[in-house]
Amino acid sequence: LIKIAVKSLGLDELYPFDPKKKIIEYILEEEASKGKKKLVDMTLTDFADETASESPAPGGGSISAYMGALGAALGSMVANLSSHKRGWDDRWEEFSDWAEKGKVYQTELIKLVDEDSSLWYPASSEDRSEEEKAARQKAVQDATRYATEVPFKTMKQCYECMSVAKAMAEIGNPNSVTDAGVGALAARAGVMGAFLNVKINAAGLEDKEFAAQIIREGEAIVEKANELEAEILKIVNSKI
């Protein structure tokens, strides 16, 4: 299958195509065998250093997903602290449910950190036939659509996890209300950052109807996230 793909896409036109160096799954497998960690397995320092390096990943998409994950984590933290607050023993189950909900969002967004970093585009080379040109163009469009859908997924998860921050700002331990506020800020930043990637990748889609639709849906999420952030911060500031 790999040989057929290489031939049909003309990937070996300019130089020999080495699957072990060009196919992301093989690269990840080799890196894993060498002990190289996934982005989410790095230390905070290593993650920041990798971001600052000349490597294109992690980029804005991965960072947006990670900000959302941190926002969800802060919501869970407030819920866990609230479940153990003295005098609130009868509410532990209520807060445990919120903590679990936040953990689900956190887990999904952590997955998106590495999913965004694995986005790739077929290498360009001289086409020998119209069939090969069409095959490469389809591959490029498929990759571009995927690169648009991943940050859109990040947007939705970041927005939805803000519900935990709002609940914790309203009913959580008042001593941790600012943590809920920071969680909302981080999640909203994730929404905005991911939308930038949605827009830039959608611009390269030939399917303009799909591009316009996902942009409209993204704009709606941005508007709701801005409104929800304002509501949460209003609550937070009223309790400080």
Side-chain angles (χ1 to χ4, degrees):
L1 289 175
I2 293 173
K3 289 180 179 179
I4 292 172
V6 170
K7 182 175 179 60
S8 65
L9 295 174
L11 299 178
D12 58 352
E13 283 292 314
L14 299 180
Y15 49 81
F17 182 89
D18 186 347
K20 292 184 178 180
K21 294 181 179 179
K22 296 296 182 181
I23 297 178
I24 187 66
E25 287 80 6
Y26 288 176
I27 294 173
L28 292 175
E29 183 178 343
E30 184 176 355
E31 289 177 346
S33 66
K34 294 178 180 178
K36 185 171 182 178
K37 296 179 179 179
K38 296 189 297 182
L39 292 175
V40 296
D41 291 331
M42 291 181 175
T43 65
L44 290 174
T45 300
D46 288 343
F47 187 89
D49 287 343
E50 185 69 17
T51 301
S53 73
E54 69 276 9
S55 171
S62 293
I63 299 300
S64 296
Y66 193 48
M67 286 192 293
L70 292 176
L74 278 169
S76 290
M77 184 194 80
V78 178
N80 283 318
L81 288 171
S82 301
S83 69
H84 293 93
K85 179 176 169 56
R86 182 177 299 177
W88 288 13
D89 296 340
D90 60 333
R91 301 180 66 187
W92 71 268
E93 189 170 2
E94 172 189 4
F95 288 116
S96 292
D97 288 343
W98 279 110
E100 184 176 347
K101 185 175 183 180
K103 180 62 176 178
V104 170
Y105 289 125
Q106 177 188 333
T107 299
E108 289 303 310
L109 285 160
I110 284 293
K111 291 178 183 177
L112 287 165
V113 171
D114 273 298
E115 186 172 355
D116 190 275
S117 72
S118 68
L119 300 177
W120 62 279
Y121 292 87
S124 61
S125 63
E126 192 68 26
D127 297 306
R128 290 178 295 180
S129 69
E130 291 301 317
E131 183 178 339
E132 289 171 342
K133 288 181 182 179
R136 179 176 294 110
Q137 183 60 20
K138 183 180 184 305
V140 169
Q141 285 299 304
D142 287 346
T144 303
R145 183 174 179 126
Y146 181 61
T148 305
E149 292 172 333
V150 169
F152 182 72
K153 191 189 305 182
T154 296
M155 286 186 72
K156 292 196 293 185
Q157 290 292 316
C158 285
Y159 166 68
E160 290 174 6
C161 83
M162 292 174 72
S163 63
V164 181
K166 183 181 180 184
M168 291 306 97
E170 290 176 326
I171 65 174
N173 189 331
N175 295 327
S176 302
V177 69
T178 54
D179 296 307
V182 174
L185 290 169
R188 184 262 183 183
V191 171
M192 301 301 292
F195 189 43
L196 294 178
N197 279 10
V198 170
K199 289 191 291 185
I200 196 169
N201 291 322
L205 288 169
E206 293 179 348
D207 187 345
K208 298 305 179 184
E209 183 177 347
F210 171 78
Q213 177 185 340
I214 201 167
I215 291 297
R216 284 195 303 270
E217 293 180 8
E219 289 173 340
I221 293 174
V222 166
E223 183 176 356
K224 290 189 293 185
N226 285 334
E227 292 175 354
L228 185 52
E229 180 195 51
E231 291 177 24
I232 296 170
L233 291 180
K234 184 176 181 180
I235 297 168
V236 172
N237 284 308
S238 71
K239 296 186 176 183
I240 296 176

